[in-house]
Amino acid sequence: MTILNKSAFLLAASLGAALIFAGCQASSPNSNTTVTTSATPPGAQSLSAIPRPQKIADLMKARGEQDQALPTLKIVSPAKDATINGAKVEVKLDLAGDLKGYMPHKDPATQKGNHIHVILDNQPYEAYYELGQPFELRNLSEGKHTLRVFPSRPWHESYKNEGAFQLVTFTVKGGGDATKPTTTNSGQTVASPAKSPAASASASAIPPPHEGKDYPPSQAGNVDPAKPLLTYSRPKGEYKGEDADPIMIDFWLLNGKLQGDGGDYRVRYSVDDGEAKFLDKWEPIWLTGWISGKHRVKLELIDKSGNVVDNGGYNSTTREITITK
Ligand SMILES: [Cu+2]
């Protein structure tokens, strides 16, 4: 930067700051009278990307070398193209690679920790913490399904190294029952149609339930694992309080490079069907400016011509999230 450019930049920056400051000052005395004529409609949301939050940078520092780990996964069960009788499928994974201390586990005190993102078909991921026990995919509908897995950090940012992501297709014969009770992620029954008093009395003697999830019906997309595949990971579910701003967008990209990484592809995202924005590097971003309520986040893999890359429908995914500030 030349000296002239630098001073022009500084001048522009200070002018900008002065304008913002002046704006604040000017608006406050009349705020009582101008509030109803404001140009901003109530509930409008303006999002902007910010650098990795300090909170997360601090977490990384506290983890030693873990963020430089190169964890790899192997799906031991279900086997590729397996046919499984019954609605329950056990997921068993082998974790290997250069782990540098990386190990999935939920800390009972904080309810946080390294975990695996487990994705059935194109449903929102489930978190899987204790790999010593299988993760149960329960109440699966009959037919073909896909399973995708990849390792994640406590703040849900995925590991993006070669071998971290795995996908298998399998088939369920004799599917699940939509009238089954709903269970939580840890497998505890939330609402059961019948429970005997004896079962409750001996509850403390029952070993803790496996991690798992009762799934609503879904089918596999017609996915070609050799073609570019975008896997939506975050955001999902509910965000409350200090977790509600900023919110991270993160994804897994298989068989393709983004333009900023020397490839041909782009990831297009939009929130609440608003203006489309592009991600040209495979890394998470953090968006700030969310307002309370339900929001739709859409992530798509786009080719050079600006079209969504077809791969079984998975390359265009929309999730609804709920924010409570
Ligand atoms: Cu996660």
Side-chain angles (χ1 to χ4, degrees), residues 115 117 125 127 152-153 156 234:
H115 56 281
H117 284 194
Y125 81 83
S152 174
R153 297 164 171 90
H156 311 289
R234 293 288 282 192

Side-chain angles (χ1 to χ4, degrees), residues 5-261:
N5 280 344
K6 205 170 185 175
S7 17
F9 172 78
L10 286 173
L11 182 65
S14 45
L15 267 176
L19 279 171
I20 290 163
F21 189 59
C24 291
Q25 280 193 317
S27 65
S28 43
N30 328 323
S31 58
N32 287 341
T33 54
T34 56
V35 70
T36 52
T37 57
S38 165
T40 309
Q45 174 174 268
S46 173
L47 296 174
S48 51
I50 59 164
R52 179 180 290 270
Q54 189 57 42
K55 194 168 71 178
I56 290 174
D58 292 344
L59 283 173
M60 291 174 83
K61 224 179 266 171
R63 282 157 57 82
E65 286 187 296
Q66 271 187 56
D67 290 301
Q68 282 75 56
L70 302 170
T72 60
L73 283 176
K74 194 179 141 199
I75 301 176
V76 177
S77 161
K80 183 176 181 282
D81 300 325
T83 296
I84 289 135
N85 288 304
K88 187 171 91 178
V89 172
E90 290 194 336
V91 177
K92 293 176 191 160
L93 303 177
D94 265 356
L95 174 69
D98 183 7
L99 295 176
K100 297 191 192 300
Y102 175 83
M103 192 50 67
H105 177 62
K106 187 190 265 183
D107 179 347
T110 62
Q111 295 290 297
K112 287 189 170 126
N114 292 315
H115 56 281
I116 308 296
H117 284 194
V118 174
I119 301 177
L120 176 76
D121 299 331
N122 205 18
Q123 298 201 31
Y125 81 83
E126 294 296 324
Y128 176 23
Y129 289 88
E130 314 297 342
L131 301 195
Q133 292 199 330
F135 184 92
E136 293 178 349
L137 310 173
R138 295 186 292 255
N139 203 39
L140 296 191
S141 46
E142 181 159 88
K144 228 176 165 187
H145 296 282
T146 61
L147 174 70
R148 286 176 276 179
V149 294
F150 48 88
S152 174
R153 297 164 171 90
W155 56 93
H156 311 289
E157 179 181 349
S158 59
Y159 282 85
K160 298 175 171 63
N161 53 284
E162 181 104 39
F165 176 98
Q166 296 298 332
L167 178 152
V168 289
T169 301
F170 63 96
T171 301
V172 165
K173 274 220 167 119
D177 177 0
T179 63
K180 273 187 74 171
T182 309
T183 64
T184 64
N185 176 267
S186 61
Q188 265 127 6
T189 304
V190 168
S192 177
K195 202 177 195 181
S196 76
S200 310
S202 62
S204 58
I206 297 169
H210 287 174
E211 292 177 84
K213 155 104 175 161
D214 276 36
Y215 280 93
S218 68
Q219 295 290 307
N222 188 18
V223 173
D224 182 343
K227 283 189 181 163
L229 180 66
L230 173 73
T231 297
Y232 183 116
S233 183
R234 293 288 282 192
K236 76 142 198 175
E238 292 188 18
Y239 293 79
K240 284 182 183 155
E242 61 167 12
D243 291 333
D245 212 341
I247 285 176
M248 180 186 70
I249 291 185
D250 193 38
F251 55 93
W252 227 96
L253 185 58
L254 185 71
N255 304 322
K257 272 188 180 170
L258 300 185
Q259 287 182 7
D261 298 325

Side-chain angles (χ1 to χ4, degrees), residues 249-314:
I249 291 185
D250 193 38
F251 55 93
W252 227 96
L253 185 58
L254 185 71
N255 304 322
K257 272 188 180 170
L258 300 185
Q259 287 182 7
D261 298 325
D264 292 330
Y265 300 99
R266 308 186 85 185
V267 168
R268 181 166 69 195
Y269 75 91
S270 65
V271 176
D272 299 333
D273 302 309
E275 186 194 348
K277 303 242 168 95
F278 290 90
L279 304 175
D280 288 320
K281 277 189 171 284
W282 183 18
E283 55 193 25
I285 62 160
W286 281 265
L287 295 179
T288 186
W290 300 86
I291 60 168
S292 288
K294 288 189 191 305
H295 298 285
R296 285 158 51 83
V297 179
K298 189 181 197 180
L299 278 191
E300 297 176 297
L301 185 65
I302 303 297
D303 66 17
K304 270 195 277 195
S305 332
N307 299 314
V308 175
V309 179
D310 179 46
N311 198 353
Y314 290 3

